[in-house]
């Protein structure tokens, strides 16, 4: 007699898979669910519509697909001819279409909006899929740099500012809407672009570029601003992906970078091998020309961390409101309330600071203030973001570490905006240079700091201490200390002017309960949490 093994079917009456004590899940509308943002941009039906779309399951699934299914480099076609194209999941294209049609690249330039409105679009999209923001930010930021050549501006600007998305690989003259990328960094130089070795050779109608770029952002764009040596001097050029006659411009994508995060965005390493280019701006003034683009991309690197923090906070709040621990709602536990209130202050401060900077971009008379404040906001918000997002992750316990939630993605994304467009040291040194070379920037900044005095003694004391410590510009070795102090003071000044929770923010930033070793939650939350989320 043969022995048999009987496998019993799972018993449905055991209830082993009954889902209990898990918060009800819903996609958050980043416009309707953000009191501070709505107060800054009142009655904007376009932003309201964008927020509603970003809360739909279809868009959230598209975002997740764009993050999980990485871009693929296609170097050759089936016949062996070079393609140098990047293939994306349809979810990526859906997000690009949504953002550009909402005015991400256009609204600051086409009369439909402002830099403030542009920054709000960046803030909302950063909460859902940050990777697509890179090419849209560069497209937005290329517009002022193109003013160095009216003929190029006439060809490219109407297409850069068309609120539409057209990924077709064809020449710019045949497209209604285009995108623009940037390629500055080389292996041997990094931030020191004057060490670039790429060279430009006149060919009678334009220039031919020969060289290598260690980082080229978004290589599927229609054109790129780049730097090369022309007669021994750094000069700016515009490289079209397709030539006017419809043939491919030599543009070799060597590889896509394998990055920590930002996976939906195809960062690449490229080579120019006789690549045709237009000169943009005067010979030898490449840095001065492209800095207009960098100045505007920095606005988004100052705003994006606020979006990442807000998205992380929303996850932590949703979890705490729907979870019970030790016979009590998690959100009603005193220590959890203190942590969530503290984190809410971080998100509030980062958003208000970035909105303040964006308003300065809209006022030509305040350009010096925009120049210094965007660097300070970029520095401080990106230093706060990784730790703040980690704390939100911890609020969920083990689930915060799981890819079923967006928190791992947000955490991986957090360092990037600090590295892009000048990492910490570069930004701090740029702050010193700006204060040294542009006295008006320092005067406007000091006026803003002085206007906030006599509202909170902690702020007043911190301002006095800063000025006593640095009556003049600091030595280079103290640049980070100086920048952090100055950026914290500017944040405090903005909070005094804009937030009813400035006093609570001072408690965790400048008061006796100020953070030690990054600890979060040293705050008497009281009713603060509900007030901030109302």
């Amino acid at each position: 007699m043969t022995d048999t093994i009987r496998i019993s079917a799972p018993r449905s009456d055991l209830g082993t898979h009954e889902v209990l004590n898990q918060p009800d899940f819903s996609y958050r509308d980043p416009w309707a669910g953000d009191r501070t943002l709505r107060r800054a941009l009142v009655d904007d039906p376009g932003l309201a519509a964008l927020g509603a779309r970003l809360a739909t399951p279809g868009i959230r699934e598209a975002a997740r697909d764009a993050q999980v299914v990485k871009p693929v480099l296609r170097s050759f076609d089936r016949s062996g001819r070079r393609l140098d194209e990047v293939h994306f999941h349809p979810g990526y294209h859906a997000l690009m279409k949504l953002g550009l049609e909402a005015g991400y690249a256009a609204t600051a330039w086409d009369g439909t909006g402002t830099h403030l409105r542009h920054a709000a679009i960046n803030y909302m999209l950063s909460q859902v899929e940050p990777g697509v923001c890179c090419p849209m930010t560069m497209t937005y930021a290329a517009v002022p740099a193109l003013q160095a050549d009216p003929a190029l501006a006439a060809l490219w600007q109407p297409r850069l500012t068309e609120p539409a998305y057209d990924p077709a690989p064809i020449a710019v003259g045949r497209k209604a809407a285009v995108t623009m990328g940037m390629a500055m960094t080389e292996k041997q130089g990094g931030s020191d672009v004057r060490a670039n070795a790429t060279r430009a050779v006149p060919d009678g109608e334009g220039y031919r570029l020969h060289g290598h770029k260690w980082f080229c952002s978004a290589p599927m764009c229609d054109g790129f601003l780049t730097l090369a040596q022309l007669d021994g001097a750094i000069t700016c050029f515009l490289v079209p992906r397709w030539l006017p006659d419809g043939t491919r411009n030599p543009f070799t994508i060597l590889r896509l970078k394998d990055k920590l995060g930002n996976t939906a965005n195809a960062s690449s390493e490229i080579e120019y091998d006789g690549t045709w280019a237009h000169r943009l701006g005067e010979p030898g003034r490449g840095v001065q020309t492209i800095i207009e683009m960098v100045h505007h991309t920095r606005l988004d690197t100052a705003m994006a961390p606020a979006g990442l923090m807000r998205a992380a906070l929303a996850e932590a709040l949703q979890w705490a409101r729907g979870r019970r621990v030790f016979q009590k709602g998690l959100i009603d536990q005193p220590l959890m309330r203190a942590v969530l209130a503290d984190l809410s202050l971080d998100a509030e401060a980062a958003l208000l600071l970035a909105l303040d900077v964006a308003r300065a971009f809209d006022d030509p008379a305040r350009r010096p203030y925009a120049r210094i404040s965007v660097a300070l906001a970029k520095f401080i918000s990106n230093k706060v973001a990784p730790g703040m997002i980690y704390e939100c992750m911890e609020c969920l316990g083990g689930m915060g570490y799981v890819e079923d939630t967006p928190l791992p993605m947000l955490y991986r994304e957090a360092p990037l905006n600090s590295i892009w467009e000048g990492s910490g040291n570069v930004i701090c040194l740029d702050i010193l240079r700006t204060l040294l070379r542009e006295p008006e920037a320092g005067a406007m900044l000091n006026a803003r700091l002085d206007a906030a005095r006599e509202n909170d003694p902690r702020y007043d004391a911190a301002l006095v201490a800063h000025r006593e410590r640095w009556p003049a510009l600091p030595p280079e070795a103290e640049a980070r200390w100086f920048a952090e102090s100055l950026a914290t003071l500017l944040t405090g000044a903005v909070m005094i002017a804009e937030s009813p929770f400035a006093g609570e923010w001072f408690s965790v930033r400048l008061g006796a309960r100020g953070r030690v070793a990054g600890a979060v939650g040293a705050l008497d939350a009281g009713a603060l949490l509900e007030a901030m989320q109302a």
Side-chain angles (χ1 to χ4, degrees), residues 240-253:
R241 282 293 260 122
W242 288 76
L243 299 175
D245 64 3
T247 60
R248 294 176 185 271
N249 200 5
F251 188 95
T252 304
I253 303 176

Side-chain angles (χ1 to χ4, degrees), residues 130-475:
V132 300
C133 292
C134 175
M136 291 191 280
T137 287
M138 291 187 297
T139 301
Y140 149 78
V143 172
L146 287 174
Q147 305 315 304
D149 187 318
L152 282 178
L155 174 64
W156 285 87
Q157 182 169 334
R159 295 166 171 84
L160 292 169
T161 57
E162 178 67 25
Y165 177 53
D166 181 1
I170 55 177
V172 58
R174 297 172 56 194
K175 300 182 72 169
V178 298
T179 55
M180 184 73 75
M182 181 164 49
M184 291 196 295
T185 307
E186 297 184 11
K187 291 178 182 176
Q188 72 284 350
S191 298
D192 182 9
V193 295
R194 296 189 186 278
N196 283 7
T198 298
R199 56 192 174 87
V201 179
D203 75 344
E205 296 183 359
Y207 296 83
R208 295 288 173 175
L209 304 186
H210 302 266
H212 174 274
K213 293 295 178 181
W214 190 225
F215 280 93
C216 172
S217 296
M220 67 292 172
C221 289
D222 297 283
F224 301 85
L225 296 194
T226 194
L227 297 176
Q229 299 280 357
L230 179 61
D231 298 326
I234 288 291
T235 303
C236 187
F237 295 88
L238 192 160
V239 175
R241 282 293 260 122
W242 288 76
L243 299 175
D245 64 3
T247 60
R248 294 176 185 271
N249 200 5
F251 188 95
T252 304
I253 303 176
L254 298 176
R255 58 173 170 165
L256 301 184
K257 297 291 192 179
D258 189 7
K259 299 173 294 184
L260 170 68
N262 202 242
T263 51
N265 180 37
S267 302
S268 65
E269 185 177 342
I270 66 167
E271 280 187 354
Y272 299 134
D273 185 10
T275 306
W276 192 77
H278 303 270
R279 177 168 54 81
L280 180 62
E282 295 300 317
R285 291 188 58 81
V287 174
Q288 292 86 343
T289 301
I290 209 167
I291 201 68
E292 282 297 323
M293 187 174 186
V294 173
H295 176 60
H296 286 79
T297 55
R298 280 185 179 174
L299 173 60
D300 288 12
T301 62
M303 175 57 84
L308 300 178
M309 285 190 268
R310 189 66 183 89
L313 176 64
E315 291 293 322
L317 287 168
Q318 180 170 262
W319 180 265
R321 286 171 176 148
R323 186 83 163 166
R324 291 188 63 80
V325 293
F326 308 117
Q327 295 79 51
K328 201 173 189 179
L330 181 56
I331 202 164
D332 298 319
Q333 300 285 354
L335 191 53
M336 180 56 75
R337 291 179 63 78
V339 168
L340 290 170
D342 197 336
L343 298 175
S344 298
L345 290 168
D346 280 337
E348 173 98 344
L351 175 57
L352 287 174
L353 179 60
L355 292 172
D356 178 74
V357 173
R359 290 188 188 97
F361 273 66
D362 281 315
D363 185 353
R366 299 180 70 204
R367 181 179 170 86
Y369 177 78
R371 174 89 168 82
I372 188 68
S373 64
V374 74
L376 290 167
K378 178 186 186 303
F379 180 74
I380 196 67
S381 294
N382 282 298
K383 295 306 178 190
V384 172
M388 184 273 186
I389 294 169
Y390 151 71
E391 290 286 353
C392 292
M393 182 185 292
E394 192 172 283
C395 290
L396 276 68
M399 276 306 298
Y401 202 66
V402 173
E403 297 284 353
D404 288 345
T405 78
L407 285 161
M409 180 274 290
L410 296 168
Y411 187 63
R412 289 191 297 268
E413 193 78 21
L416 184 57
N417 289 284
S418 185
I419 295 170
W420 263 341
E421 313 306 7
S423 54
N425 286 359
V426 172
I427 290 296
C428 291
L429 295 175
D430 188 53
I431 289 167
L432 298 190
R433 279 192 298 270
T434 300
L435 293 173
L436 177 65
R437 298 174 183 175
E438 301 182 34
E440 194 173 2
M444 288 184 171
L445 176 61
N446 280 321
R448 183 63 193 267
L449 297 178
D450 286 333
R453 295 172 63 182
E454 300 184 4
N455 285 282
D456 191 292
R458 294 163 294 190
Y459 173 83
D460 294 348
L463 182 59
V464 169
H466 175 89
R467 288 172 172 171
E468 287 180 348
R469 179 66 186 79
W470 294 290
L473 291 181

